[in-house]
Amino acid sequence: MLDVTKAFDRVDYCKLFPELLVRALPREYLRLLLNMYTNHVTRVSCNGICSAEFLVKNGVKQGGVISPMLFCIYIDELLLQLSKSGLGCFIGHLPWCFGI
């Protein structure tokens, strides 16, 4: 199993967007996503007090419809390398998760 706790928060844009380029995503969509993610600002609220706005520098949007797909693209190469390595738990010749 791969522990991806809080993984959506850790997506690095410098790695994500080149992966989208490799997958031949239409330039219009790429520009839209790049703009959405590199110009994303937020603030933190605690006990009714809000912080100043700050730029979000990594992570995909929690609850975003496209976020799971972006995350899958982001970790795809890691999963491929992990699969090729032969490391992990196996039942027979297949990784255990394929037997479920």
Side-chain angles (χ1 to χ4, degrees):
M1 295 292 283
L2 182 63
D3 181 10
V4 290
T5 308
K6 301 200 185 241
F8 276 27
D9 297 337
R10 308 246 185 246
V11 172
D12 182 351
Y13 301 149
C14 293
K15 294 178 183 173
L16 173 62
F17 287 103
E19 284 298 320
L20 295 174
L21 274 171
V22 168
R23 286 169 168 44
L25 188 72
R27 300 253 180 228
E28 296 81 11
Y29 294 132
L30 189 58
R31 273 190 237 119
L32 175 67
L33 288 170
L34 191 58
N35 189 1
M36 282 175 48
Y37 279 95
T38 58
N39 294 315
H40 181 207
V41 294
T42 194
R43 62 176 70 197
V44 176
S45 174
C46 183
N47 295 326
I49 300 171
C50 288
S51 71
E53 288 184 345
F54 59 92
L55 187 63
V56 177
K57 297 181 180 180
N58 61 313
V60 290
K61 298 174 188 293
Q62 299 278 334
V65 174
I66 197 169
S67 295
M69 185 181 301
L70 293 174
F71 181 73
C72 286
I73 290 169
Y74 181 73
I75 66 164
D76 188 47
E77 184 61 31
L78 170 64
L79 296 177
L80 288 172
Q81 288 181 17
L82 212 55
S83 179
K84 288 177 185 175
S85 75
L87 299 174
C89 298
F90 294 84
I91 296 175
H93 66 284
L94 296 175
W96 72 270
C97 57
F98 293 135
I100 295 175

